[in-house]
Amino acid sequence: MNKNTKKLVGVALLTAIVVVLQLLGSFIKFGTFSISLVLIPIVVGTALYGIGAGAWLGLAFSVTVLLSGDAALFLNISVIGTVLTVLIKGAGAGALSGVVYKALERFNKYAATVVAAIICPVVNTGVFLIGCRFFFFDAIKEMAGDTNPITFMFVGLVGLNFIFELVVNMVLSPVIVRIVNIGIKENKL
């Protein structure tokens, strides 16, 4: 099998994993929103196949979020704001983690994967928070009640989810990339 075919098959497999993990992850909630286990295959994909693969996998994540009903609360407030926020956060998380990985891989591939695994949830959550501020702030003020709406956004909307996603991504992504790379090396022998 040539290199392009292997990449195509690998990205297709990771795309399927992204969709399945997002659909399953929608049932696991910490706080208001479901956790994103899909950030792991996004980082793995970008480390193995490049920035374009990371952006594609992030986009697949975004489309799955939109189609699964996970964004229904925000779709009721602003369709355009929701679609923009969700698409930018997913594709941006994949692309930027890929850029960071590419910049660091020549020094140390393991460290590059760890940093990419940090960047992915930071961008995903950061863009979500920016979208909340620009498109949904009035509704968030209502949800927050007597609480400061910014505090509510950080603690109530993303707090535990972000911490869980960050830790799981930092631990599992580098391990999976390392295992796959060992398998690739052994396969070449």
Side-chain angles (χ1 to χ4, degrees):
M1 201 179 326
N2 72 31
K3 188 176 180 179
N4 287 336
T5 304
K6 286 180 183 180
K7 180 177 179 178
L8 182 64
V9 170
V11 172
L13 178 61
L14 288 169
T15 302
I17 292 170
V18 163
V19 171
V20 169
L21 285 178
Q22 179 56 35
L23 293 174
L24 291 175
S26 65
F27 296 108
I28 305 168
K29 296 190 186 298
F30 287 112
T32 309
F33 299 101
S34 60
I35 58 168
S36 292
L37 297 172
V38 300
L39 301 179
I40 298 163
I42 292 171
V43 172
V44 170
T46 201
L48 295 174
Y49 303 114
I51 299 166
W56 167 258
L57 293 165
L59 186 61
F61 159 48
S62 296
V63 170
T64 306
V65 166
L66 290 170
L67 294 176
S68 70
D70 247 7
L73 172 68
F74 291 108
L75 280 168
N76 289 328
I77 299 166
S78 169
V79 172
I80 292 171
T82 302
V83 170
L84 282 174
T85 301
V86 171
L87 291 177
I88 292 169
K89 78 183 190 77
L96 288 175
S97 64
V99 168
V100 168
Y101 179 85
K102 247 332 168 202
L104 299 175
E105 77 172 321
R106 67 179 171 264
F107 303 110
N108 184 310
K109 287 184 180 190
Y110 182 78
T113 307
V114 171
V115 176
I118 293 169
I119 293 298
C120 197
V122 167
V123 171
N124 184 54
T125 301
V127 172
F128 173 75
L129 288 169
I130 291 168
C132 284
R133 178 61 184 99
F134 284 110
F135 298 113
F136 316 113
F137 201 64
D138 289 337
I140 288 171
K141 282 195 254 184
E142 284 183 38
M143 286 184 231
D146 293 336
T147 306
N148 177 302
I150 301 294
T151 302
F152 177 77
M153 283 170 42
F154 279 89
V155 177
L157 294 181
V158 299
L160 291 176
N161 290 21
F162 172 74
I163 292 167
F164 178 83
E165 291 169 7
L166 180 68
V167 170
V168 169
N169 210 35
M170 282 175 48
V171 171
L172 292 180
S173 294
V175 171
I176 293 169
V177 169
R178 188 169 222 151
I179 289 169
V180 170
N181 281 329
I182 289 169
I184 290 170
K185 286 178 188 173
E186 298 237 344
N187 197 19
K188 287 181 180 179
L189 297 175

